[in-house]
Amino acid sequence: DIDKVIIDNATIQEDLLYHFEGMAFHDERDQTYNLGNLYHSYDRYESYKKDAQRSVNYLVKQFEMKKSAGEYKRAASSKTGVIDTNSLFKYKLTEDIFKRVTCVPEGKNHGLVMFLDWSGSMQHTLIDTLKQTYNLVWFCRKAGIPFRVYGFQTCHRNRDIHPAVNPKKNILTLCEDFTLLEFFSSKQNKQSLDKSMRLIYTQVYAMCYGSIRYMQKYTL
């Protein structure tokens, strides 16, 4: 049952927002230090978001060009049965005097599902991997492509997670603490998606650089 192993993006967003913006502090000095680093992380995210738009726009441009070429290649022409008055003068030379119609298929049948390795070995490359993922998320958003982004991990043993399966002998299965973290989805509106991306960036920034207290529930 896939629903038992997925933590949805709304839950993750709420948890991280409460953790980062509702954390308690030991004293004023601790508060100043942690909030300063938190807002620095937010600024880093906004800066990268701005810098990445050129690359994202290029990806969208290339995608639209290839899509148009593909549609042109698949376009089909057929006779309509209606006489083309501009071709009547050729009736003694050819029977092809009918109007033609070109059908271009425009249906969408694609989407992207991305899986991020959320294991401890990713600590030193996770921030760069996340940036690559963000480029693809912004590309999908602009190109109108449905997408999902999941992180996969085995969570901590003391967490109250319902097992996804009932393990049986000689059957290949998942361990009971396996979890899929749904970070982002094309079903989110623009504001919600941006908030989730900023919070996940902050969680990764905290895990990689240690200047902010990251949330243990979503650690590597």
Side-chain angles (χ1 to χ4, degrees):
D1 186 351
I2 196 68
D3 291 330
K4 291 183 179 179
V5 298
I6 292 178
I7 300 179
D8 62 85
N9 62 77
T11 300
I12 295 174
Q13 183 185 115
E14 184 179 358
D15 286 345
L16 291 177
L17 188 65
Y18 178 79
H19 173 77
F20 288 119
E21 298 190 6
M23 66 174 70
F25 305 104
H26 301 301
D27 49 41
E28 187 175 347
R29 182 179 178 182
D30 183 45
Q31 180 180 11
T32 302
Y33 174 78
N34 280 281
L35 288 182
N37 287 326
L38 176 64
Y39 296 139
H40 176 67
S41 172
Y42 286 175
D43 290 342
R44 289 276 295 263
Y45 165 71
E46 293 296 338
S47 178
Y48 179 73
K49 180 181 176 182
K50 183 178 179 180
D51 293 341
Q53 293 313 301
R54 184 177 179 181
S55 297
V56 172
N57 290 336
Y58 179 76
L59 286 174
V60 174
K61 179 182 177 182
Q62 291 294 312
F63 174 74
E64 293 297 338
M65 288 171 62
K66 288 188 176 183
K67 188 172 73 170
S68 296
E71 289 176 351
Y72 177 77
K73 188 176 180 180
R74 297 195 308 273
S77 297
S78 59
K79 295 178 182 179
T80 63
V82 179
I83 293 176
D84 183 1
T85 54
N86 293 325
S87 300
L88 273 175
F89 69 93
K90 297 187 292 184
Y91 76 97
K92 289 186 178 181
L93 304 174
T94 177
E95 294 181 354
D96 189 12
I97 59 173
F98 296 95
K99 289 183 178 180
R100 288 180 175 271
V101 61
T102 301
C103 299
V104 180
E106 295 180 343
K108 290 185 178 180
N109 61 352
H110 53 266
L112 283 181
V113 181
M114 292 169 262
F115 294 96
L116 274 172
D117 183 353
W118 214 246
S119 61
S121 60
M122 290 291 291
Q123 181 176 358
H124 300 296
T125 57
L126 190 59
I127 196 80
D128 291 327
T129 307
L130 189 69
K131 287 178 178 179
Q132 294 272 358
T133 306
Y134 280 9
N135 285 357
L136 289 173
V137 168
W138 288 321
F139 159 73
C140 289
R141 185 80 181 180
K142 284 199 170 188
I145 299 174
F147 64 88
R148 297 284 190 283
V149 180
Y150 297 100
F152 59 89
Q153 64 162 205
T154 49
C155 53
H156 300 286
R157 291 287 179 179
N158 59 357
R159 280 182 51 197
D160 183 21
I161 292 293
H162 295 289
V165 293
N166 296 315
K168 296 179 182 179
K169 188 175 181 180
N170 298 325
I171 297 294
L172 183 66
T173 185
L174 298 171
C175 54
E176 293 184 1
D177 59 348
F178 173 79
T179 309
L180 276 179
L181 308 173
E182 186 193 48
F183 292 138
F184 318 117
S185 166
S186 53
K187 292 184 177 182
Q188 292 178 270
N189 60 38
K190 184 177 180 181
Q191 184 179 5
S192 175
L193 180 62
D194 189 65
K195 182 184 290 185
S196 289
M197 294 177 78
R198 186 179 74 243
L199 290 168
I200 294 297
Y201 184 93
T202 302
Q203 172 75 355
V204 171
Y205 183 85
M207 291 190 296
C208 291
Y209 299 113
S211 55
I212 312 170
R213 293 195 292 269
Y214 56 82
M215 188 170 190
Q216 192 69 27
K217 182 179 179 180
Y218 301 117
T219 190
L220 299 178

